[in-house]
Amino acid sequence: MVDTTSDPGPDTPTGHACIQSYLKTLPASPGVYRMLDAQARVLYVGKARNLKARVSNYARPTGHSPRIARMIRETASMMFLTTRTETEALLLEQNLIKQLKPRYNVLLRDDKSFPNILLTKDHAYPMIRKHRGAKTQKGAYFGPFASAGAVNRTLNQLQKVFQLRNCSDSMFESRTRPCLLYQIKRCSGPCVGLISEEDYAASVRDAERFLSGRSTKIQEDLAAQMAEAAEAMEFERAAALRDRIRALTQVQGAQGINPQGVAEADVIALHMEGGQACVQVFFIRANQNWGNRDFYPRTGADVSEAEVLEAFLGQFYDTKEPPRLILLSHPIENTDLMQDALSDKLGRKVEIAVPKRGEKAELVEGAARNARESLGRKMAETATQAKLLKGLAEALELERTPRRIEVYDNSHIMGTNAVGAMIVAGPEGFEKNHYRKFNIKGEDLTPGDDFGMMKEVLTRRLKRLLKEDPDRTSEAWPDLLLIDGGAGQVSAVQGILDEMGLGDLPMVGVAKGPDRDAGKEEFHRPGRRPFALRHNDPVLYFVQRLRDEAHRFAIGTHRAKRAKAAAANPLDEVPGVGASRKRALLAHFGSAKAVTRADLADLKAVEGISDALAERIYAHFNDG
């Protein structure tokens, strides 16, 4: 990869003339180009089999779509990177798009990881659980599932059928009697020897067979065992087997579509309307439907289906493992190139197809119908949201309709485990990937000082924005700050904004009325008299939803922090004490608190604890 960026000089004009000035020095090789505006912000990232030929198209004065024509007019400079192959250029292009988020590219905005089911392989009694992230633990992974809900529903039914444990290894080792899951027939009780290792291994194999798509044989085996139990008049065992067959049937029923001729595929369908797009993805694994997910990439009104789908594929599989088969609703321009890039990533052949008939076409039609319906609902919600935002701007006398509202709240109990929370809302509703939580760090704060906590949160947030974008040109800057509080809180926040030179940022405090009843909220703005909205005003309900969402997020963050603090083990802070030594100490002394009070001789008596480690543990808990 070679950087061939050149600077045409400070007097170079923008637009077609600017682009034309680069053509003399451009190579006819594969690569990636970036178009930048006068402030050096990236407008567009593209790939090319032949950089010179591709960029020369932009130098033509006519024949461009309105979107591309605007982009060309704004272009003040360009950057280039040559690559060895066009496939390498494609991968680099999608990586740069995700990193730089250029204004004129199709952009996949929601790029979360998908959960899997993990069957561990590093224990005599393997565990089954939900897994998200890097596949570093030894075991068999099954997925991806479209959502945590889809995984949890499947795991819930699998526990009924196969009764595999889901507890951690440390919990497993410390049990002396079976837990509640055994009592409700969701676990076979391997922790206390209520099932042999051989029988448990057979259940693990059955679970693997089911998750691999071989469920018919399992049902046949369970039915035969139920008949044998009934014939032997073991009616309790027969009833338990009947329940397991029913649970297995429920798993298959909940999955809805279960194609017979498609073992592994992602079904991806696109619907575009009114300058907006919805991409629906169905995950087919082991001939089972493991859920679907919709995405709303950022597009323009004049972008083609092929361009949207190709950009989606490149960005979607940038951090995800592609399946062997990808079924699309529309053809893309560079099918062979995308297949080669994904095949290199997976290490085996990946096929991209647009089916026209048969079961595969029916799968794509179902996904396309879901995409059309999802986009219709989204557009209706967006229209309602736009109306509410316009009403909010009118009610608060803002200069323009806000596109980004940041709402702040604090949560603590008598000043302990204090956290601040920020939620974000805009034309598309709550933007949860922009939510932020702040652990309150101020050591000089008086416990319960809400003003001080709000000051710390806002100062940290705004300092970061100023550092990243001092000219306030990015979309990360809020158009409106909503604060939970009255005149005093508003005055304090306005002082913070003035100190940072941001006194022009619109800010409103929302306070409960005299009786602290919902519906009687008062709105406070700096230098103005407080006012209220009509009890049945939709804008009032909208503000209540914003405030309640901020409160929910703050409370949830606070509870998580409090739970983590409550579960903290003082032994975790001692260097050299890992999981096995911690178990040995807890088994010997009965509790972590007893370990902290133990004398040196007792610590040295614990099996697996060397004299040196015993001295380290004793010194850690005894300053003298």
Side-chain angles (χ1 to χ4, degrees):
M1 197 181 305
V2 180
D3 186 346
T4 60
T5 302
S6 60
D7 185 358
D11 298 325
T12 302
T14 60
H16 298 287
C18 170
I19 297 171
Q20 184 77 38
S21 66
Y22 288 97
L23 293 178
K24 294 178 182 178
T25 56
L26 272 182
S29 60
V32 173
Y33 58 93
R34 279 175 274 183
M35 308 177 87
L36 293 81
D37 65 10
Q39 284 76 44
R41 292 172 299 196
V42 179
L43 298 170
Y44 186 79
V45 174
K47 68 176 184 310
R49 180 181 302 169
N50 182 321
L51 276 173
K52 187 165 189 169
R54 184 74 183 91
V55 173
S56 66
N57 290 334
Y58 292 113
R60 296 198 319 264
T62 59
H64 305 291
S65 68
R67 177 177 66 100
I68 298 301
R70 284 196 308 273
M71 179 185 74
I72 290 172
R73 284 197 299 270
E74 294 178 33
T75 301
S77 62
M78 296 186 71
M79 297 177 66
F80 305 92
L81 281 168
T82 58
T83 58
R84 290 172 297 177
T85 64
E86 192 180 1
T87 301
E88 190 177 314
L90 171 66
L91 296 173
L92 178 60
E93 175 203 34
Q94 298 304 331
N95 187 274
L96 286 172
I97 290 172
K98 290 182 69 174
Q99 177 185 337
L100 301 172
K101 298 179 174 55
R103 189 189 318 164
Y104 288 99
N105 281 97
V106 174
L107 184 64
L108 175 59
R109 290 177 286 192
D110 183 7
D111 191 28
K112 296 178 181 175
S113 63
F114 294 98
N116 291 265
I117 287 178
L118 168 63
L119 257 173
T120 60
K121 296 286 188 179
D122 53 359
H123 197 282
Y125 293 95
M127 166 180 55
I128 188 169
R129 64 176 177 85
K130 178 174 68 179
H131 175 86
R132 194 189 290 267
K135 298 176 181 178
T136 54
Q137 187 170 351
K138 186 179 179 182
Y141 293 86
F142 302 92
F145 286 79
S147 65
V151 169
N152 292 336
R153 286 191 295 272
T154 302
L155 281 174
N156 187 38
Q157 298 300 331
L158 290 179
Q159 282 183 282
K160 290 181 182 178
V161 179
F162 303 111
Q163 299 186 358
L164 304 181
R165 72 180 181 94
N166 66 356
C167 58
S168 65
D169 290 349
S170 59
M171 178 69 74
F172 180 89
E173 300 295 342
S174 64
R175 296 296 305 182
T176 56
R177 57 182 180 179
C179 66
L180 179 63
L181 288 177
Y182 173 78
Q183 307 297 336
I184 61 175
K185 297 182 172 58
R186 301 291 180 89
C187 181
S188 52
C191 55
V192 290
L194 295 178
I195 183 174
S196 68
E197 190 172 330
E198 293 75 16
D199 289 343
Y200 190 87
S203 295
V204 171
R205 285 195 297 274
D206 284 344
E208 285 192 88
R209 285 161 60 196
F210 174 79
L211 289 168
S212 300
R214 300 189 294 274
S215 56
T216 305
K217 183 69 169 65
I218 299 171
Q219 287 173 301
E220 291 173 356
D221 292 345
L222 290 173
Q225 292 175 36
M226 182 177 69
E228 290 175 8
E231 190 175 332
M233 293 192 294
E234 297 176 1
F235 299 117
E236 188 174 342
R237 179 167 172 265
L241 289 165
R242 178 203 61 202
D243 292 342
R244 293 174 70 180
I245 294 172
R246 284 179 179 172
L248 201 57
T249 305
Q250 285 177 352
V251 176
Q252 295 165 322
Q255 290 165 344
I257 305 167
N258 291 295
Q260 299 302 309
V262 181
E264 177 187 326
D266 282 352
V267 183
I268 302 177
L270 167 69
H271 182 74
M272 297 181 67
E273 186 178 337
Q276 298 185 52
C278 176
V279 178
Q280 189 81 207
V281 183
F282 278 76
F283 300 98
I284 307 297
R285 298 294 186 274
N287 296 99
Q288 302 168 25
N289 172 26
W290 282 353
N292 61 295
R293 181 88 167 268
D294 47 9
F295 299 86
Y296 301 91
R298 187 187 71 191
T299 64
D302 53 0
V303 181
S304 67
E305 286 96 344
E307 184 178 351
V308 173
L309 267 183
E310 184 168 321
F312 178 85
L313 291 178
Q315 294 172 50
F316 184 71
Y317 292 114
D318 182 52
T319 55
K320 298 176 183 66
E321 186 176 285
R324 296 173 184 269
L325 175 64
I326 299 172
L327 301 176
L328 301 181
S329 60
H330 300 78
I332 60 176
E333 292 181 3
N334 300 288
T335 303
D336 292 341
L337 183 64
M338 186 64 71
Q339 283 184 163
D340 290 344
L342 296 181
S343 297
D344 289 346
K345 181 180 179 65
L346 186 62
R348 59 175 185 257
K349 183 174 175 55
V350 172
E351 179 187 355
I352 297 175
V354 183
K356 300 299 183 184
R357 63 182 66 86
E359 186 180 37
K360 293 176 181 177
E362 291 174 7
L363 289 173
V364 172
E365 286 171 10
R369 183 177 61 255
N370 274 269
R372 183 174 61 253
E373 293 171 355
S374 296
L375 184 59
R377 289 191 296 270
K378 181 79 170 178
M379 291 175 73
E381 292 169 3
T382 302
T384 303
Q385 188 79 359
K387 189 175 180 180
L388 288 170
L389 290 170
K390 185 178 179 181
L392 182 65
E394 292 173 356
L396 301 180
E397 299 178 0
L398 303 178
E399 293 182 4
R400 62 178 182 175
T401 301
R403 294 191 57 82
R404 181 184 175 96
I405 303 172
E406 293 185 356
V407 191
Y408 293 85
D409 198 5
N410 298 323
S411 183
H412 60 90
I413 293 180
M414 300 297 290
T416 61
N417 299 311
V419 294
M422 179 193 83
I423 70 155
V424 178
E428 298 182 2
F430 293 119
E431 300 181 13
K432 297 193 175 182
N433 56 328
H434 291 170
Y435 285 17
R436 296 292 181 268
K437 53 190 175 184
F438 301 83
N439 288 315
I440 303 299
K441 301 176 180 178
E443 298 179 358
D444 56 342
L445 289 179
T446 304
D449 180 5
D450 285 332
F451 283 12
M453 285 188 280
M454 183 61 69
K455 179 176 181 180
E456 178 180 330
V457 168
L458 276 170
T459 301
R460 285 164 57 186
R461 165 67 179 156
L462 297 173
K463 274 187 176 178
R464 179 164 185 171
L465 277 175
L466 283 169
K467 181 180 179 181
E468 294 176 350
D469 183 22
D471 297 327
R472 297 167 60 178
T473 56
S474 75
E475 296 178 357
W477 280 92
D479 300 308
L480 175 64
L481 300 178
L482 276 183
I483 308 298
D484 185 20
Q489 200 84 325
V490 166
S491 177
V493 171
Q494 187 61 46
I496 298 168
L497 297 177
D498 290 339
E499 285 178 17
M500 303 181 75
L502 301 172
D504 60 330
L505 267 183
M507 181 265 299
V508 176
V510 184
K512 294 284 181 67
D515 301 323
R516 300 191 63 79
D517 290 333
K520 297 183 179 180
E521 285 83 358
E522 290 184 342
F523 294 81
H524 296 259
R525 293 199 66 182
R528 302 187 189 181
R529 292 174 61 86
F531 66 96
L533 297 174
R534 294 191 323 272
H535 183 69
N536 60 349
D537 193 328
V539 173
L540 177 59
Y541 296 143
F542 178 50
V543 173
Q544 288 172 351
R545 276 174 41 221
L546 293 174
R547 186 196 57 205
D548 292 346
E549 173 68 2
H551 192 58
R552 179 202 65 79
F553 185 57
I555 288 287
T557 303
H558 167 70
R559 285 175 177 165
K561 185 177 180 181
R562 198 172 73 227
K564 184 176 180 181
N569 191 319
L571 296 178
D572 294 335
E573 301 174 4
V574 183
V577 177
S580 60
R581 286 167 174 166
K582 185 162 60 175
R583 281 197 298 270
L585 289 164
L586 293 174
H588 185 89
F589 291 103
S591 70
K593 192 172 185 178
V595 177
T596 66
R597 295 174 174 176
D599 61 32
L600 184 58
D602 289 337
L603 288 169
K604 289 182 177 180
V606 179
E607 185 177 352
I609 303 297
S610 65
D611 289 353
L613 181 56
E615 290 173 2
R616 191 184 308 154
I617 296 170
Y618 183 80
H620 183 83
F621 295 115
N622 296 270
D623 295 335

